[in-house]
Amino acid sequence: MLFLTPYLFLSAGILGDAFGKLFKVIWDGIKWIGNLLKKLLHGVVDIFIGFFEIIYALIDGFLYFLFKVGVLAVKLFLLLFETAKLLWALVVGFAKTLASLVYTPKGSSDAAGYSEMLGKLFKSLSVLQIDVIAYILLFVIWMFTAVGAIKLISSIRVGGE
């Protein structure tokens, strides 16, 4: 029995080494497959993240575009509104000038606030009889002002040309 003991230890060492090497190869294969799956899963996750980043960027760009279109629409509306106010003021002023061509001096003060003073001035200048010329000149001045303002407003272009 004493003779068999080293042989048994020697055979157990060979079998132990063989199984050790076999399990080491199996364990290395499992680690390699795990790393491969980890890299593949990481790649798939990166692809999904990249896809959703692109979708997010497209949605963000589209919403920013809609926002800027809205800002442009508001600015355009304000520009047209202010232009309409300017034209309305010009038309009202022109209408008041045309209405004042049949001026009758009186003591009440209207929107201009100086009709009493004009009445005194017309009475003192009635001797010279230049009130008709003054009315005609006033009409001509307002007409040129209206035409000049309309030309100025119509020459404004969007592109700044």
Side-chain angles (χ1 to χ4, degrees), residues 7-25:
Y7 182 68
L8 285 175
F9 284 122
L10 182 66
S11 68
I14 292 174
L15 285 177
D17 275 346
F19 278 115
K21 288 181 182 179
L22 176 67
F23 285 127
K24 184 176 186 294
V25 167

Side-chain angles (χ1 to χ4, degrees), residues 57-71:
L58 286 173
I59 291 171
D60 186 38
F62 181 69
L63 291 176
Y64 183 73
F65 175 73
L66 287 179
F67 171 71
K68 285 300 181 178
V69 165
V71 168

